[in-house]
Short mmCIF file of all heavy atoms in Angstrom, two decimals:
data_model
loop_
_atom_site.label_atom_id
_atom_site.label_comp_id
_atom_site.label_asym_id
_atom_site.label_seq_id
_atom_site.Cartn_x
_atom_site.Cartn_y
_atom_site.Cartn_z
N SER A 87 -11.29 -7.48 7.81
CA SER A 87 -11.76 -7.74 6.46
C SER A 87 -12.37 -9.12 6.28
O SER A 87 -12.94 -9.44 5.24
CB SER A 87 -10.59 -7.59 5.48
OG SER A 87 -10.09 -6.26 5.49
N THR A 88 -12.22 -9.99 7.29
CA THR A 88 -12.79 -11.34 7.17
C THR A 88 -14.08 -11.47 8.00
O THR A 88 -14.54 -12.56 8.26
CB THR A 88 -11.78 -12.38 7.70
OG1 THR A 88 -11.35 -12.05 9.02
CG2 THR A 88 -10.56 -12.44 6.78
N ARG A 89 -14.65 -10.35 8.41
CA ARG A 89 -15.93 -10.24 9.10
C ARG A 89 -15.83 -10.63 10.61
O ARG A 89 -16.75 -10.39 11.34
CB ARG A 89 -17.03 -11.08 8.45
CG ARG A 89 -17.59 -10.44 7.19
CD ARG A 89 -18.92 -11.05 6.81
NE ARG A 89 -19.49 -10.40 5.66
CZ ARG A 89 -19.16 -10.75 4.41
NH1 ARG A 89 -18.29 -11.71 4.23
NH2 ARG A 89 -19.69 -10.10 3.40
N THR A 90 -14.78 -11.30 11.01
CA THR A 90 -14.61 -11.59 12.44
C THR A 90 -13.32 -10.90 12.90
O THR A 90 -12.25 -11.09 12.34
CB THR A 90 -14.44 -13.10 12.64
OG1 THR A 90 -13.38 -13.61 11.87
CG2 THR A 90 -15.74 -13.81 12.30
N GLU A 91 -13.46 -10.02 13.87
CA GLU A 91 -12.27 -9.28 14.34
C GLU A 91 -11.37 -10.23 15.06
O GLU A 91 -11.68 -10.72 16.16
CB GLU A 91 -12.72 -8.12 15.24
CG GLU A 91 -13.47 -7.01 14.51
CD GLU A 91 -13.69 -5.81 15.35
OE1 GLU A 91 -13.28 -5.81 16.53
OE2 GLU A 91 -14.24 -4.80 14.83
N ARG A 92 -10.21 -10.53 14.47
CA ARG A 92 -9.26 -11.47 15.04
C ARG A 92 -7.89 -10.91 14.92
O ARG A 92 -7.56 -10.11 14.07
CB ARG A 92 -9.35 -12.82 14.26
CG ARG A 92 -10.64 -13.55 14.39
CD ARG A 92 -10.73 -14.70 13.40
NE ARG A 92 -9.73 -15.70 13.63
CZ ARG A 92 -9.95 -16.78 14.38
NH1 ARG A 92 -11.11 -16.95 15.01
NH2 ARG A 92 -9.01 -17.71 14.56
N ARG A 93 -6.98 -11.40 15.81
CA ARG A 93 -5.61 -11.04 15.74
C ARG A 93 -5.05 -11.58 14.43
O ARG A 93 -5.38 -12.68 13.97
CB ARG A 93 -4.82 -11.62 16.93
CG ARG A 93 -5.21 -11.00 18.25
CD ARG A 93 -4.57 -11.79 19.40
NE ARG A 93 -3.13 -11.62 19.37
CZ ARG A 93 -2.43 -10.91 20.25
NH1 ARG A 93 -3.07 -10.27 21.18
NH2 ARG A 93 -1.12 -10.85 20.20
N LEU A 94 -4.14 -10.81 13.80
CA LEU A 94 -3.57 -11.15 12.50
C LEU A 94 -3.00 -12.56 12.50
O LEU A 94 -3.22 -13.35 11.56
CB LEU A 94 -2.54 -10.11 12.13
CG LEU A 94 -1.79 -10.33 10.80
CD1 LEU A 94 -2.81 -10.22 9.63
CD2 LEU A 94 -0.69 -9.29 10.62
N GLU A 95 -2.22 -12.91 13.53
CA GLU A 95 -1.53 -14.19 13.54
C GLU A 95 -2.49 -15.36 13.76
O GLU A 95 -2.12 -16.53 13.53
CB GLU A 95 -0.43 -14.20 14.63
CG GLU A 95 -0.92 -14.02 15.99
CD GLU A 95 -1.06 -12.59 16.46
OE1 GLU A 95 -1.05 -11.69 15.56
OE2 GLU A 95 -1.17 -12.35 17.66
N GLN A 96 -3.73 -15.12 14.17
CA GLN A 96 -4.71 -16.18 14.42
C GLN A 96 -5.68 -16.39 13.24
O GLN A 96 -6.46 -17.33 13.27
CB GLN A 96 -5.54 -15.88 15.67
CG GLN A 96 -4.71 -15.83 16.95
CD GLN A 96 -5.52 -15.36 18.12
OE1 GLN A 96 -6.61 -14.80 17.98
NE2 GLN A 96 -5.04 -15.60 19.32
N GLU A 97 -5.59 -15.55 12.20
CA GLU A 97 -6.51 -15.61 11.08
C GLU A 97 -6.06 -16.68 10.08
O GLU A 97 -4.94 -16.54 9.54
CB GLU A 97 -6.63 -14.24 10.43
CG GLU A 97 -7.51 -14.21 9.21
CD GLU A 97 -8.91 -14.66 9.49
OE1 GLU A 97 -9.55 -14.11 10.42
OE2 GLU A 97 -9.37 -15.62 8.81
N PRO A 98 -6.88 -17.72 9.80
CA PRO A 98 -6.49 -18.71 8.78
C PRO A 98 -6.27 -18.17 7.40
O PRO A 98 -5.41 -18.62 6.65
CB PRO A 98 -7.61 -19.75 8.84
CG PRO A 98 -8.26 -19.57 10.19
CD PRO A 98 -8.11 -18.08 10.47
N LEU A 99 -7.08 -17.16 7.03
CA LEU A 99 -6.93 -16.54 5.72
C LEU A 99 -5.78 -15.57 5.73
O LEU A 99 -5.68 -14.72 6.67
CB LEU A 99 -8.21 -15.81 5.34
CG LEU A 99 -8.28 -15.10 4.00
CD1 LEU A 99 -8.02 -16.09 2.86
CD2 LEU A 99 -9.58 -14.36 3.83
N ARG A 100 -4.90 -15.61 4.74
CA ARG A 100 -3.75 -14.72 4.70
C ARG A 100 -4.22 -13.28 4.45
O ARG A 100 -4.80 -12.99 3.39
CB ARG A 100 -2.80 -15.19 3.61
CG ARG A 100 -1.66 -14.21 3.27
CD ARG A 100 -0.63 -14.13 4.35
NE ARG A 100 0.50 -13.31 3.93
CZ ARG A 100 1.46 -12.92 4.74
NH1 ARG A 100 1.45 -13.28 5.98
NH2 ARG A 100 2.46 -12.18 4.30
N VAL A 101 -4.01 -12.42 5.40
CA VAL A 101 -4.32 -10.98 5.29
C VAL A 101 -3.06 -10.19 5.52
O VAL A 101 -2.39 -10.37 6.53
CB VAL A 101 -5.41 -10.56 6.33
CG1 VAL A 101 -5.76 -9.07 6.13
CG2 VAL A 101 -6.64 -11.44 6.19
N GLU A 102 -2.68 -9.37 4.56
CA GLU A 102 -1.49 -8.51 4.71
C GLU A 102 -1.93 -7.14 5.14
O GLU A 102 -2.90 -6.58 4.61
CB GLU A 102 -0.74 -8.47 3.39
CG GLU A 102 -0.24 -9.84 2.94
CD GLU A 102 0.53 -9.82 1.65
OE1 GLU A 102 1.37 -8.89 1.46
OE2 GLU A 102 0.31 -10.68 0.81
N VAL A 103 -1.23 -6.59 6.13
CA VAL A 103 -1.62 -5.34 6.74
C VAL A 103 -0.52 -4.30 6.62
O VAL A 103 0.66 -4.60 6.90
CB VAL A 103 -1.98 -5.55 8.25
CG1 VAL A 103 -2.36 -4.22 8.89
CG2 VAL A 103 -3.14 -6.54 8.36
#
Side-chain angles (χ1 to χ4, degrees):
S87 298
T88 56
R89 284 198 178 84
T90 56
E91 294 189 356
R92 295 168 64 92
R93 294 171 66 108
L94 178 64
E95 63 272 16
Q96 297 174 343
E97 177 57 56
L99 181 61
R100 170 71 174 171
V101 181
E102 298 179 44
V103 178

